[in-house]
Amino acid sequence: MTTGVVVLGAAGRMGQELIAAARDQRDLTICGAVVRAGHPAVDTPASSWLPGVLLSADLGSALLGADVLIDFTRPEVTLRALREAARAGVPAVVGTTGFTAAQRDELAAFARELPLVFAPNMSAGVNVLVKLLQVAAAALGEGFDLELMELHHRHKRDAPSGTALRLAEVLAQARGQALGEVLVTGRQGDAPRAAGELGVLALRGGDVAGDHTVFFLGDGERLELTHRASSRRVFAQGALRAARWLRGQPPGLYGMAEVLGL
Ligand code: NAD
């Protein structure tokens, strides 16, 4: 059974990576590639190896007969697209990051109608890291201070990264804290560390696909857990895996843990 995928944001860094990664997948085809209206590439081929699939600005038409929508765009674009996906009854994989709390609630509401995978990081490694953090936070306890550093390419818009916020959320939960009450995203001037604080710092530059390091800082020892993505292909492969898994699932909001069976 072949899964027909529509890629939204097809001209973007992740969109192009998805189209390239799909080439190696036998049971999955790109049946639609959608870009923003007015994009100069509209009506040009989505890829040299995808004859007949032109970049289009018409998501509604692209969704007709599709099995799954994969979105890597921007939050407001994602929410509009989910409205169309719900209308067409097409499940969706959302990789976009940078949602406000209200936008996340809006996104979650679509999961009552649609099967939805929403994951700020689709790589297998980061999702295993989430598990490791839960173990380490519980084992090391409150005697260890928690800090997190992330590094991404110079074009990234949202900061801290969606992955960093997800990792921070996992750490806060493991300590029974509300992230909003302990999160510190910068320090300057007279800014000593408060007890229970969770510092998250964002570095930007070059073409870095995405690095995340979590520090457990104790007295006399420290543990550092690092994930480095050296290619965006890992996110694309995760998204395609999620698309295949999502087909046939009941409506609901799923993460990569479910997709990967973690
Ligand atoms: P990008 O800017 O290269 O691509 C986004 C694309 O969306 C652009 O081509 C833009 O023209 C397009 N777009 C904007 N409005 C649109 C519309 N109305 N219809 C169709 N397309 C539209 O960005 P990117 O690096 O590809 O990242 C996209 C998103 O994915 C970001 O939020 C990023 O943080 C996230 N991301 C997530 C993961 C993950 O594993 N979940 C991995 C990498 C990036």
Side-chain angles (χ1 to χ4, degrees):
M1 191 171 55
T2 305
T3 301
V5 170
V6 171
V7 175
L8 181 64
R13 280 176 289 266
M14 279 306 300
Q16 290 175 43
E17 202 65 57
L18 275 163
I19 291 171
R23 183 179 191 165
D24 306 327
Q25 317 262 330
R26 288 216 186 131
D27 55 348
L28 196 146
T29 56
I30 303 294
C31 58
V34 182
V35 298
R36 69 174 163 72
H39 194 287
V42 167
D43 286 340
T44 65
S47 153
S48 57
W49 63 273
L50 275 175
V53 180
L54 298 181
L55 292 171
S56 129
D58 184 356
L59 177 62
S61 301
L63 287 174
L64 293 174
D67 297 308
V68 181
L69 167 70
I70 302 185
D71 160 88
F72 281 86
T73 55
R74 293 171 62 168
E76 62 279 13
V77 177
T78 305
L79 293 173
R80 278 202 305 273
L82 289 179
R83 219 158 289 141
E84 297 231 33
R87 216 173 291 141
V90 175
V93 174
V94 175
T96 300
T97 63
F99 291 85
T100 63
Q103 285 173 323
R104 272 172 72 143
D105 290 346
E106 212 180 312
L107 182 141
F110 284 108
R112 283 187 226 120
E113 303 169 53
L114 282 179
L116 211 60
V117 170
F118 175 48
N121 193 307
M122 307 242 169
S123 82
V126 155
N127 288 286
V128 171
L129 175 61
V130 166
K131 291 274 157 189
L132 298 178
L133 292 184
Q134 287 164 343
V135 172
L140 297 175
E142 302 196 352
F144 283 70
D145 298 326
L146 299 178
E147 295 278 311
L148 201 162
M149 197 175 70
E150 57 102 333
L151 172 59
H152 282 85
H153 56 90
R154 62 170 74 91
H155 302 291
K156 185 161 178 64
R157 299 179 73 107
D158 52 318
S161 71
T163 304
L165 291 173
R166 169 77 187 120
L167 298 178
E169 196 176 46
V170 167
L171 291 167
Q173 271 169 9
R175 291 195 162 182
Q177 298 167 323
L179 181 59
E181 287 168 17
V182 291
L183 180 69
V184 173
T185 52
R187 296 191 182 95
Q188 205 182 358
D190 184 22
R193 192 177 205 287
E197 210 167 88
L198 206 171
V200 178
L201 291 184
L203 281 63
R204 293 288 174 268
D207 63 353
V208 180
D211 291 0
H212 294 85
T213 297
V214 177
F215 298 86
F216 292 83
L217 300 155
D219 292 322
E221 63 171 332
R222 72 172 186 259
L223 173 67
E224 299 177 13
L225 295 173
T226 296
H227 177 268
R228 296 189 209 284
S230 51
S231 160
R232 286 189 186 88
R233 189 59 62 92
V234 292
F235 308 128
Q237 274 159 347
L240 295 176
R241 187 165 169 175
R244 219 180 277 114
W245 177 87
L246 194 54
R247 215 177 155 185
Q249 297 292 339
L253 188 58
Y254 304 100
M256 285 306 284
E258 283 102 332
V259 173
L260 298 171
L262 291 170

